[in-house]
């Protein structure tokens, strides 16, 4: 909890409001702009003394319910509310629905990455966009049925999806996928689509169900992954995961270290593209 910054943010947020903004009468002439402390406390349903202590950087750590009430009283935006929670040392509520709309700017970045595989994936595991190199590495997801756009579903229901990974890496890949999905489920327990995905996976895959029951949690971050491409062979790639501000989408970029054998093979993959050299 950052008491100094929290106090400053509360004072400045209060000063920006007028009584009319919150449905109060102007009353007597005010010596300073903004609401009075007792007015904010009344709107938030807390004691004036407690609120005053927060503004003076002397208060105890407020509860999540109190933070939500103060955010409403100060008419904070969603970003302002999240900032308030962060200053108090709390994780903001995750009440924004996940979106499948990929921002145009992010799509532009994706298209500019012409020599390295990159994709945009939702935190549920749905592939939302791919560049040409990613299609060459993983296959074109848009050519598959919609249910197979989800990488977790494919991994546990389609044996061919595992062929892209060396046999000794497959168990780790499975555990990582389930642990990441667990973390997403905890952030959005009311997401009906996510709950449906988990329910179908548990019914379809005993392996997934057993891993889910271990309750391991780990958000995907930077990693090193190996791929067994049917044309260019084994690729060892650095995997960078860049999160959207809401953390519901990730830009995943795969790169090879310059001068390595994987770097040369990735260059070959760029030349080959989607051609299937295994035929004829």
């Amino acid at each position: 909890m950052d008491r100094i910054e929290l106090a400053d943010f509360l004072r400045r947020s209060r000063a920006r409001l007028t009584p009319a903004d919150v449905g109060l009468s102007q009353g007597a002439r005010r010596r300073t702009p903004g609401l009075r402390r007792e007015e904010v406390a009344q709107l938030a349903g807390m004691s004036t003394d407690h609120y005053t202590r927060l503004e003076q950087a002397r208060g105890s750590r407020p509860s999540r319910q109190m933070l939500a009430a103060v955010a409403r009283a100060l008419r904070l935006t969603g970003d302002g509310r999240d900032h308030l929670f962060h200053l108090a040392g709390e994780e903001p509520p995750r009440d924004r629905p996940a979106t499948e709309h990929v921002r145009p700017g992010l799509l532009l970045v994706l298209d500019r990455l012409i020599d390295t595989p990159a994709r945009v994936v939702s935190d549920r595991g749905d592939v939302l966009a791919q560049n040409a190199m990613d299609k060459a590495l993983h296959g074109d997801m848009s050519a598959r049925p919609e249910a197979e756009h989800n990488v977790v579903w494919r991994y546990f229901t389609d044996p061919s999806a595992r062929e892209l990974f060396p046999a000794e890496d497959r168990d780790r890949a499975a555990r990582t996928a389930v642990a990441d999905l667990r973390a997403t489920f905890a952030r959005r327990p009311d997401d009906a689509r996510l709950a449906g995905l988990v329910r179908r996976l548990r019914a379809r895959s005993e392996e997934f169900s057993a891993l889910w029951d271990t309750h391991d949690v780990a958000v995907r971050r930077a990693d090193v992954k190996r791929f067994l491409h049917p044309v260019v062979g084994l690729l060892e790639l650095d995997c960078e995961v860049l999160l959207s501000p809401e953390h519901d989408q990730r830009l995943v970029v795969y790169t090879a270290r310059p001068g390595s054998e994987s770097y040369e093979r990735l260059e070959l993959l760029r030349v080959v593209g989607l051609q299937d050299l295994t035929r004829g």
Side-chain angles (χ1 to χ4, degrees):
M1 177 174 171
D2 190 334
R3 285 182 169 80
I4 301 298
E5 288 295 314
L6 175 62
D8 184 65
F9 182 62
L10 290 174
R11 289 193 300 269
R12 294 181 185 276
S13 297
R14 176 170 59 85
R16 294 189 188 104
L17 292 173
T18 67
D21 291 332
V22 297
L24 298 177
S25 62
Q26 181 66 30
R29 183 183 179 90
R30 294 170 183 257
R31 291 177 297 175
T32 58
L35 297 180
R36 298 187 176 101
R37 287 172 176 165
E38 57 267 27
E39 291 172 332
V40 175
Q42 178 185 356
L43 290 168
M46 59 192 296
S47 71
T48 300
D49 179 66
H50 196 166
Y51 180 79
T52 299
R53 286 175 175 273
L54 289 176
E55 279 205 6
Q56 294 175 343
R58 298 186 297 117
S60 58
R61 184 172 181 171
S63 67
R64 294 180 61 83
Q65 293 81 0
M66 184 177 294
L67 288 170
V70 170
R72 289 192 297 271
L74 293 173
R75 302 301 192 263
L76 298 180
T77 64
D79 290 338
R81 181 204 63 180
D82 290 356
H83 185 62
L84 176 67
F85 270 74
H86 283 138
L87 291 177
E90 292 283 350
E91 181 68 16
R94 293 295 177 188
D95 55 10
R96 298 186 182 95
T99 176
E100 295 185 2
H101 172 71
V102 182
R103 299 189 306 277
L106 190 54
L107 290 174
L108 182 61
V109 171
L110 197 66
D111 291 338
R112 293 289 178 88
L113 297 172
I114 60 174
D115 59 353
T116 186
R119 51 173 40 188
V120 178
V121 184
S122 74
D123 57 1
R124 285 191 299 253
D126 298 320
V127 178
L128 304 178
Q130 297 175 276
N131 67 0
M133 282 290 285
D134 192 76
K135 292 177 182 178
L137 176 62
H138 290 100
D140 186 353
M141 293 299 173
S142 65
R144 296 180 175 275
E146 184 177 355
E148 295 184 16
H149 292 186
N150 186 277
V151 295
V152 186
W153 175 264
R154 279 203 66 213
Y155 194 85
F156 286 97
T157 64
D158 182 359
S160 67
R162 302 193 177 212
E163 295 176 0
L164 189 59
F165 302 93
E168 59 271 25
D169 295 353
R170 294 171 188 171
D171 180 67
R172 177 174 175 267
R175 292 180 178 277
T176 300
V178 177
D180 182 73
L181 198 63
R182 259 290 188 185
T184 301
F185 192 79
R187 290 194 302 272
R188 292 205 310 280
D190 297 326
D191 187 326
R193 184 169 176 180
L194 177 59
L197 172 65
V198 172
R199 186 170 57 252
R200 292 192 304 274
L201 278 166
R202 285 177 69 90
R204 182 73 175 270
S205 170
E206 292 183 3
E207 180 188 12
F208 175 88
S209 187
L211 290 173
W212 186 262
D213 288 340
T214 65
H215 213 125
D216 289 338
V217 178
V219 177
R220 287 185 188 273
R221 294 186 175 87
D223 198 1
V224 177
K225 300 183 73 172
R226 299 196 304 164
F227 300 92
L228 274 178
H229 193 272
V231 176
V232 302
L234 181 65
L235 292 162
E236 184 173 295
L237 304 178
D238 292 319
C239 175
E240 293 292 336
V241 181
L242 308 178
L243 301 176
S244 67
E246 292 79 17
H247 291 197
D248 63 344
Q249 292 183 5
R250 298 103 180 259
L251 174 62
V252 184
V253 182
Y254 301 95
T255 60
R257 296 175 185 176
S260 66
E261 191 172 4
S262 291
Y263 184 86
E264 300 298 327
R265 291 177 177 175
L266 198 59
E267 282 292 298
L268 176 60
L269 183 62
R270 183 171 66 87
V271 174
V272 172
L274 293 175
Q275 299 177 46
D276 187 354
L277 299 185
T278 62
R279 297 180 181 176

